[in-house]
């Protein structure tokens, strides 16, 4: 009996053997769809009984979560202990039950959880070892740091990216602009607002028939590939920003460093010497897309020591109130805002108003 893993191997070999051209596009398309279905089986653990395994759940603390991925001996641990050691207090309690939390990083008033994701590289996607649990945690991260050795960055980078792609994690990508809706009848209806160069109606049909979908509306708003279409049908992909942390720059020349700076999404550092951490943290802040909102109690100065940190796309007054206390909105009359999101300082705003970084807010309750 061949396992899922063997079947995946067979399909991958078949795809490697097939030449890529117009004539084989449909064949490759269906193979890709088959492959995606098999990989999904590997990602979802078997529904068997059995007792609970060792704990690999990570309690969420802080406003965001950064996962560290990298081969052994690239300096992950050094980097993490330096970051959390210099910027945060790691309480003893956090260590006792969990296997992945090394600590919490305090940056710009925000608590950011930092996780080591061990063993994600060595065959994690094939469900070996604790790979699956690690992957489940990786999918909840708000940002992934790929820690690479600057002396051999690109080989490692390719391997890690391939492993993460295989488990449905897409790095530094936007979800494809494809709207896909299954129907009960009416056949396959395909529309597009842009010219499609990589895919046509027959190819879409062959992929959908592999998923046993006979009727659906598919509308393309970008020049998509077969892989994009499969991502949308599978619907279990997560899109996470990533920063390539190139460690050990103390071992290369200045000329090489200039080349390293040309790699997109990359920050060169030396964990051992603590070089360039400020740029790394700034990049982390930018990719996490957070905003700091300061509170101002009535008749007092704003409290700049403890900002309320929110996601930039979820930073309305209502969400700000909820972050402080669930009960505030019941008594909410209006807010007074000072800062870049308003024209006048202060300006009276309602609960829909969207806040920007470093705004100051005073909440006025109903009389």
């Amino acid at each position: 009996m061949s396992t899922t893993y063997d079947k995946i191997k067979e399909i991958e070999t078949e795809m490697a053997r097939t030449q890529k051209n117009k004539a084989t596009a449909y064949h490759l398309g269906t193979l890709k769809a088959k492959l995606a279905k098999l990989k999904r089986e590997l990602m979802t653990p078997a529904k068997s009984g059995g007792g609970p395994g060792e704990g690999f759940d990570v309690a969420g603390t802080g406003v965001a979560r950064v996962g560290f991925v990298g081969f052994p001996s690239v300096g992950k641990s050094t980097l993490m202990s330096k970051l959390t050691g210099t910027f945060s207090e790691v309480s003893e309690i956090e260590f006792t039950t969990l296997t992945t939390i090394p600590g919490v990083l305090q940056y710009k008033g925000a608590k950011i959880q930092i996780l080591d994701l061990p063993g994600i590289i060595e065959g994690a996607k094939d469900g070996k070892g604790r790979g699956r649990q690690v992957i489940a945690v990786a999918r909840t991260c708000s940002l992934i740091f790929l820690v690479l050795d600057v002396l051999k960055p690109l080989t490692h980078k390719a391997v890690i990216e391939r492993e993460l792609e295989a488990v449905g994690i897409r790095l530094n990508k936007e979800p494809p602009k494809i709207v896909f809706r299954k129907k009960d009848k009416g056949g396959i209806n395909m529309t597009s607002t842009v010219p499609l160069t990589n895919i046509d109606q027959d190819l879409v049909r062959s992929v959908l028939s592999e998923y046993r979908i006979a009727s659906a509306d598919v509308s393309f708003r970008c020049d998509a590939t077969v892989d994009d279409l499969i991502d949308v049908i599978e619907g279990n992909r997560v899109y996470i920003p990533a920063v390539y942390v190139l460690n050990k720059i103390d071992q290369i020349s200045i000329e090489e460093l200039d080349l390293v700076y040309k790699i997109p999404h990359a920050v060169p550092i030396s964990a051992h010497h603590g070089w360039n951490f400020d740029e790394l943290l700034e990049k982390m802040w930018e990719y996490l897309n957070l905003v700091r909102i300061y509170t101002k109690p009535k008749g007092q100065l704003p409290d700049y020591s403890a900002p309320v940190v929110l996601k930039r796309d979820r930073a309305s007054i209502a969400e700000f109130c909820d972050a402080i206390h669930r009960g505030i909105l019941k008594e909410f009359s209006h807010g007074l805002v000072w800062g870049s999101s308003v024209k006048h300082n202060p300006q009276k705003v309602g609960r829909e108003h969207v806040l920007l970084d470093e705004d100051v807010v005073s909440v006025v309750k109903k009389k």
Side-chain angles (χ1 to χ4, degrees):
M1 187 187 132
S2 64
T3 61
T4 314
Y5 186 54
D6 297 335
K7 288 180 193 158
I8 287 180
K9 271 269 181 284
E10 268 170 45
I11 293 180
E12 282 178 342
T13 341
E14 166 96 10
M15 279 168 69
R17 274 208 308 261
T18 312
Q19 282 184 333
K20 287 193 175 77
N21 55 40
K22 275 263 169 63
T24 59
Y26 307 127
H27 180 53
L28 279 171
T30 41
L31 285 178
K32 281 179 174 172
K34 278 187 179 140
L35 195 61
K37 279 163 45 182
L38 289 169
K39 284 183 174 168
R40 183 178 56 204
E41 279 175 35
L42 277 184
M43 274 156 59
T44 43
K47 301 259 186 304
S48 62
E54 328 168 28
F56 206 83
D57 301 334
V58 180
T61 55
V63 287
R65 176 182 273 185
V66 179
F68 279 68
V69 181
F71 278 88
S73 78
V74 290
K76 255 194 330 200
S77 314
T78 318
L79 173 61
M80 291 167 68
S81 60
K82 282 268 173 81
L83 283 176
T84 51
T86 43
F87 295 92
S88 79
E89 328 70 48
V90 175
S91 69
E92 291 304 306
I93 308 153
E94 286 188 319
F95 269 38
T96 47
T97 49
L98 308 167
T99 43
T100 51
I101 296 201
V104 176
L105 172 82
Q106 292 269 10
Y107 186 63
K108 295 195 177 182
K111 280 198 167 101
I112 294 162
Q113 189 179 35
I114 290 201
L115 300 179
D116 186 355
L117 302 172
I120 202 166
I121 317 300
E122 300 85 26
K125 69 171 190 295
D126 312 324
K128 290 188 193 140
R130 316 212 22 212
R132 284 188 192 173
Q133 293 133 309
V134 178
I135 286 158
V137 175
R139 290 171 66 97
T140 64
C141 289
S142 344
L143 171 66
I144 290 181
F145 273 179
L146 294 186
V147 188
L148 306 166
D149 187 330
V150 74
L151 301 171
K152 39 180 180 291
L154 297 172
T155 45
H156 279 184
K157 177 171 174 268
V159 172
I160 297 175
E161 283 177 341
R162 199 168 59 239
E163 289 283 337
L164 291 174
E165 288 266 320
V167 297
I169 294 175
R170 303 282 177 263
L171 301 176
N172 292 329
K173 277 188 191 158
E174 292 293 309
K177 293 194 174 76
I178 302 174
V179 180
F180 168 75
R181 221 178 27 249
K182 273 195 225 178
K183 296 184 300 191
D184 295 339
K185 53 180 190 286
I188 297 212
N189 180 19
M190 178 175 142
T191 54
S192 65
T193 52
V194 290
L196 299 175
T197 57
N198 304 311
I199 201 168
D200 60 13
Q201 185 127 13
D202 295 338
L203 186 48
V204 172
R205 284 221 161 96
S206 61
V207 170
L208 288 174
S209 70
E210 180 56 46
Y211 279 98
R212 300 204 170 85
I213 296 171
S215 295
D217 288 335
V218 190
S219 96
F220 292 92
R221 297 184 187 152
C222 63
D223 185 8
T225 61
V226 180
D227 298 314
D228 291 338
L229 176 65
I230 292 173
D231 278 357
V232 172
I233 298 172
E234 283 282 336
N236 59 356
R237 307 295 189 234
V238 286
Y239 296 83
I240 305 179
V243 173
Y244 302 108
V245 184
L246 302 172
N247 190 15
K248 305 190 183 175
I249 53 171
D250 47 333
Q251 298 176 14
I252 59 170
S253 65
I254 299 287
E255 293 79 35
E256 287 171 304
L257 189 56
D258 288 341
L259 283 175
V260 165
Y261 260 110
K262 295 201 171 83
I263 302 175
H265 311 294
V267 180
I269 60 151
S270 163
H272 181 63
H273 296 285
W275 294 346
N276 211 18
F277 279 9
D278 44 358
E279 185 186 346
L280 179 63
L281 290 170
E282 197 44 60
K283 192 87 151 179
M284 172 188 80
W285 185 260
E286 177 196 331
Y287 279 48
L288 283 174
N289 220 356
L290 300 172
V291 291
R292 291 159 293 174
I293 313 296
Y294 302 112
T295 52
K296 180 186 178 310
K298 196 174 172 188
Q300 295 173 24
L301 287 169
D303 175 7
Y304 289 115
S305 63
V308 175
V309 180
L310 301 168
K311 288 269 194 307
R312 193 177 296 267
D313 51 357
R314 293 203 290 275
S316 69
I317 290 274
E319 277 138 346
F320 165 77
C321 291
D322 273 348
I324 302 174
H325 189 279
R326 282 288 151 92
I328 293 185
L329 277 175
K330 288 193 186 79
E331 305 173 7
F332 178 85
S333 157
H334 60 270
L336 293 172
V337 178
W338 292 257
S340 48
S341 70
V342 289
K343 291 200 174 75
H344 319 288
N345 283 326
Q347 185 168 324
K348 188 173 162 181
V349 297
R351 60 179 63 193
E352 301 300 313
H353 178 77
V354 177
L355 299 160
L356 293 176
D357 195 25
E358 302 210 76
D359 278 358
V360 173
V361 178
S362 184
V363 173
V364 181
K365 293 184 177 175
K366 287 177 187 152
K367 290 285 186 289

